[in-house]
């Protein structure tokens, strides 16, 4: 069958599926709709004759249709309504008529089941019927009172947006099948614009600040009237004044009076800021607002429940702060005062209060820090009281996991961690953790080996200081309100029977700070990684695809007998040496010669030990407000430079190079490269649990100086449950190659994903997705044209995967199942890439935890 016929057949099958789905979904949706009633199947809002698609406006509708009735890809599938329709409205009478009224049937059933089991059987029928009603969704019956309410809501909405003279009408279209459609017709008419904005301020101290306060006003002359802007302006004014010392000020003291009479579609506004109202037991007084200053700051360092009846035993005064303890001061005073932005003699500000609260939380030393202020009646001052409840100094955590992968039948891992808080009395944190795992490999080299022949050991130590650890003062560069911290991390691990077996040592010295609520920065001054491969002689035993190709070439050219195989490692290595030394029938122009050369290059790169000494900078901006916010973006940028310090040092000292012309440290050629990554994620909340999510990623690592390739641990790969889901991990690319290597990687990557997520039933979610991207080699020693990115023409080798998924939300995590289809496969012939293997047989099935991005 030709490719065109295959695609035509697939399209016909999809179309038939949609038609059948639509037919099934339309059947019996009015099954539980009584005579004289109508099921609402659609709400349409026409604004000046144009159909409105804004979710904000559609949310105004008081009587929405059943979920799924809006349709996805033109298919209406109200699953919850169908589930509800499966329930019997008169289950009690049905059971009574069909079972209980027939004494012989009851007698036979009780004889077979016993009376107790019979009663449970009857109860299960009723319970299942009730479950269908609970999990389903009753049909939404047309209610004209709610249609009128919706019309009024639309009038109010467009009024609030500046169309004060708008009109809204609605009409209902019913058919003979007990279905109804409601059409709302909105005529906006001429909008009203802001004209004059006049302040009327009762408190002189506030009036003197009006000019400074109004510079950033959201209300501009000539703008269209928008009620939401007035609300935001009220909040802005309140925030400004509370940060200017007016401790008792609140939004209720700001109101607006609008005049639109005879103004020719203009809005004249008065901003009225009242005096403070003080309510007593029997009277109410009105006084001008006052500016309050901080008279003192008291810090109660161990305000625990167990200490509630104890007297203060230790008082320390440090830089104007009063530190009180009941069991002795356990923290260095500077560690606590550095976290406090409320200072004696300064005016009160909400900003100082929120920064103090955030910093104290970031220390992770205390539970729920509490900050309160007490007015001193003798003058206009406040005393700040900060109540701290220390966490336990020591805490333990354990982790156990059972896993399975492509290299092991079963694996068990156990981890343990110890956290020590305030280890040096300066709010420092020391984390010590360890990991051990064992597993049974699927292909043991020696059957006599023990069943659990895979093991890994690892340990990690992390020390965190709540400040920048530097010999010079960095307060002007990174102020303390940015919650700066310094981390020192040391780790080591050892693997056996995993790949080539490795020992890894790593250390990181980094600074972290938060310039704003949404932005986090990290500067890694020294990031050292050493990777030692222990079992390089078994390279061809691990990378069997390369060995099979090498062995086949040796047989084809008569290097070995067709019935024999190259021995590992000696004969395989010797064959490579003979080919590249032109001691065989192959010449550099032969394809097999090039293949052997590529195998040798890959072998050298994957078996060499790595020493990486780098510096990194990471920037992250996350606008997500909380877990329920589904309209946000995340931008991440990271840059890393490796080997520059060592290269400069060796160059200045005139250190010798090895035979390959490279510098070595402790017998290892250190890596030198520059690497950068950009990652952007954007969520669009479409309402009704419908979310459109997009991700764009680009990464490149360029070797230079002491390196002509990128270490395996720093390279990029494609495929997998969080990447292009139509390919398994490490299976995609590079470029248009079809190497079938066990681990395909490269030093340049592009990836884009788009995903439409929607609610199906209860906690069950669905998704349709498209993943686009690939990896390539660029600016390194790889010479295979199919794997190298040579310009815009190489973009034709971008792989496209598409598919669908199901997700179940357990509240604390999401279990995800995705099916990916190879839609455009760059490893195929250029004219035969679209929908080549677009079927369930060649699909990739992914199981993951939480969303892919």
């Amino acid at each position: 069958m030709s490719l065109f016929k295959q695609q035509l057949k697939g399209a016909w099958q999809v179309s038939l599926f949609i038609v059948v789905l639509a037919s099934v979904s339309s059947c019996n949706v009015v099954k539980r709709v009584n005579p004289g009633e109508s099921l609402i199947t659609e709400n349409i809002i026409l604004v000046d004759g144009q159909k409105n698609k804004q979710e904000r406006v559609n949310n105004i509708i008081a009587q929405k249709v059943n979920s799924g009735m809006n349709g996805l890809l033109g298919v209406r599938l109200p699953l919850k309504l169908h589930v509800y329709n499966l329930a019997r409205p008169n289950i009690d009478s049905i059971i009574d008529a069909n079972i209980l009224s027939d004494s012989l049937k009851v007698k036979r059933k009780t004889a077979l089941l016993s009376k107790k089991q019979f009663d449970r059987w009857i109860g299960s029928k009723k319970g299942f019927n009730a479950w269908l009603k609970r999990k389903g969704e009753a049909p939404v019956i047309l209610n004209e009172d709610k249609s009128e309410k919706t019309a009024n809501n639309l009038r109010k909405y467009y009024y609030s947006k500046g169309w004060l003279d708008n009109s809204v009408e609605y009409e209902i279209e019913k058919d003979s099948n007990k279905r109804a459609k409601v059409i709302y017709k909105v005529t906006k008419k001429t909008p009203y614009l802001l004209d004059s904005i006049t302040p009327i301020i009762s408190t002189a101290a506030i009036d003197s600040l009006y000019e400074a306060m109004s510079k950033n006003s959201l209300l501009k002359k000539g703008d269209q009237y928008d009620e939401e802007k007035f609300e935001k302006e009220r909040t802005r004014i309140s925030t400004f004044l509370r940060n200017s010392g007016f401790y008792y000020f609140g939004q209720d003291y700001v109101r607006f009076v609008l005049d639109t009479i005879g103004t020719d579609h203009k809005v004249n506004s008065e901003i009225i800021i009242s005096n403070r109202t003080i309510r007593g037991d029997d009277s109410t007084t009105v006084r001008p607002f006052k500016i309050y200053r901080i008279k003192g700051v008291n810090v109660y360092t161990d305000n625990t429940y167990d200490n509630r009846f104890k007297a203060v035993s230790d008082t320390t005064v440090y830089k104007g702060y009063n530190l009180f303890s009941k069991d002795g001061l356990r923290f260095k005073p500077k560690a606590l005062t550095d976290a406090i932005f409320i200072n004696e003699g300064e005016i009160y500000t909400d900003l100082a209060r929120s920064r103090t609260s955030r910093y104290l939380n970031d220390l992770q030393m205390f539970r729920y820090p509490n900050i309160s202020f007490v007015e001193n009646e003798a003058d206009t001052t406040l005393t700040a009281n900060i109540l701290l409840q220390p966490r336990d100094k020591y805490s333990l955590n354990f982790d156990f996991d059972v896993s399975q992968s492509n290299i092991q039948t079963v694996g068990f891992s156990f981890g343990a961690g110890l956290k020590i808080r305030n280890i040096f009395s300066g709010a420092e944190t020391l984390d010590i953790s360890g990991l051990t795992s064992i597993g049974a490999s699927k292909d043991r080299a020696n059957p006599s080996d023990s069943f659990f022949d895979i093991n890994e050991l690892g340990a990690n130590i992390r020390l965190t200081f709540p400040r920048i650890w530097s010999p010079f003062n960095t307060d002007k560069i990174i102020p303390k309100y940015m919650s700066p911290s310094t981390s020192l991390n040391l780790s080591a691990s050892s693997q056996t029977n995993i790949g080539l077996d490795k020992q890894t040592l790593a250390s990181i010295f980094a600074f972290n700070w938060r310039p704003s609520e949404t932005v986090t920065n990290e500067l890694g001054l020294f990031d050292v990684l050493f990777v030692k491969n222990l079992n390089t002689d078994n390279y061809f035993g691990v990378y069997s695809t390369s060995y099979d190709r090498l062995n086949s070439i040796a047989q084809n050219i008569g290097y070995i007998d067709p019935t024999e195989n190259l021995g590992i490692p000696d004969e395989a290595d010797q064959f490579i040496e003979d080919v590249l030394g032109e001691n065989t029938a192959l010449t550099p122009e032969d394809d097999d010669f090039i293949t052997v050369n590529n195998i040798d290059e890959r072998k050298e790169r994957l078996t060499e030990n790595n020493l990486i000494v780098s510096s990194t900078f990471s920037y992250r901006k996350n606008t997500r407000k909380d877990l329920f916010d589904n309209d946000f973006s995340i931008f991440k940028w990271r840059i890393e430079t490796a080997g520059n310090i060592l290269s400069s040092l060796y160059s200045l000292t005139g250190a010798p190079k090895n035979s390959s012309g490279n510098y070595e440290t402790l017998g290892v050629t250190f890596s030198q490269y520059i690497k950068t990554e950009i990652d952007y994620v954007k969520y669009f909340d479409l309402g009704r649990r419908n979310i459109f999510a997009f991700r764009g990623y680009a990464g490149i690592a360029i070797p230079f100086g002491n390196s002509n390739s990128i270490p395996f641990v720093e390279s990029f790969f494609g495929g997998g449950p969080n990447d292009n889901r139509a390919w398994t991990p490490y299976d995609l690319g590079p470029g248009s190659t079809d190497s079938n290597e066990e681990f395909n990687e490269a030093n340049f990557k592009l990836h884009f994903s788009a995903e439409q997520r929607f609610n199906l039933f209860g906690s069950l979610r669905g998704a349709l997705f498209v993943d686009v991207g690939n990896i390539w080699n660029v600016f390194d020693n790889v010479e295979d044209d199919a794997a190298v990115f040579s310009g815009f023409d190489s973009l034709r080798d971008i792989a496209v995967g598409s598919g669908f998924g199901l997700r179940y939300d357990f509240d604390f995590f999401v279990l995800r199942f995705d099916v990916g289809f190879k839609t455009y496969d760059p490893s195929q012939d250029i004219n035969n890439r679209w929908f080549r293997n677009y079927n369930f047989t060649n699909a990739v099935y992914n199981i993951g935890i939480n969303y892919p991005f």
Side-chain angles (χ1 to χ4, degrees), residues 91 109 116 153 166 169 227 257 278 302 331 339 377 407 418 424 466 583 625 686 708 779 835:
I91 186 66
K109 287 286 187 181
K116 182 180 291 186
N153 290 343
N166 76 81
E169 299 176 349
E227 186 178 293
V257 176
I278 304 173
D302 49 6
F331 295 85
E377 297 182 359
I407 65 171
L418 171 66
F424 302 127
N583 295 322
K625 298 175 183 177
L686 306 180
N708 56 13
F779 304 125
F835 304 101

Side-chain angles (χ1 to χ4, degrees), residues 201-263:
I201 302 173
S202 301
T203 299
I206 296 177
D207 188 47
S208 65
L209 295 175
Y210 180 76
E211 183 177 351
M213 182 172 62
S214 62
K215 286 182 179 179
N216 297 316
S217 175
L218 303 176
L219 307 178
K220 308 293 184 182
K221 182 176 180 179
D223 286 354
Q224 184 169 324
Y225 171 77
D226 188 339
E227 186 178 293
E228 186 177 1
K229 279 190 176 181
F230 278 78
E231 291 300 320
K232 290 182 178 179
E233 178 68 2
R234 176 183 284 112
T235 301
R236 191 194 68 83
I237 291 173
S238 177
T239 300
F240 179 90
L241 293 176
R242 286 186 62 82
N243 283 326
S244 300
F246 297 96
Y247 174 70
Y248 287 105
F249 195 86
Q251 292 186 34
D252 293 342
Y253 291 106
V254 182
R255 60 190 178 93
F256 300 94
V257 176
L258 308 178
D259 180 17
T260 60
I261 300 176
T263 60

